[in-house]
Amino acid sequence: MLSGKQKRFLRGVGHGLKPVVTVGKGEVTEALVKETAEAIASHELIKVKILESCAMDRFEVAEELAAACAAEVAQVLGRTLLLYRRAEEPKIELPKAQ
């Protein structure tokens, strides 16, 4: 579980990132989960864009994707999500949780 301080840090790191996964009208499918898991495995922190054609609520999409990929939601801002999962060899050094 990420602390508030860690989420703030990740939001700062993720600000300049471009979305690598897009959720469309197909919503959360097996293929989308696989693509997201692969992206998180290689990047640790990714942005996910939810298109207007997606009928699901943005918070539902965030929770489903995070649960399916064993990741954590760092931010939901508008129709953009920020997902984080610590890698075996971390590239991002998180601040200590207090």
Side-chain angles (χ1 to χ4, degrees), residues 40-42 44 84-91:
I40 289 177
S42 63
E44 251 187 308
Y84 171 78
R85 182 175 71 200
R86 183 180 169 93
E88 289 181 25
E89 295 179 22
K91 300 173 193 167

Side-chain angles (χ1 to χ4, degrees), residues 23-28 50-57 61 79:
V23 181
K25 66 180 176 184
E27 298 176 358
V28 180
I50 303 172
L51 300 178
E52 291 288 330
S53 59
C54 182
M56 290 178 70
D57 179 61
V61 172
R79 300 188 74 78

Side-chain angles (χ1 to χ4, degrees), residues 2-14 74 82 95:
L2 293 171
S3 70
K5 187 175 186 178
Q6 291 170 329
K7 285 183 181 183
R8 261 191 317 279
F9 175 78
L10 289 173
R11 287 196 302 260
V13 172
L82 201 57

Side-chain angles (χ1 to χ4, degrees), residues 13 20 49 59:
V13 172
V20 293
K49 185 72 176 167
F59 296 103

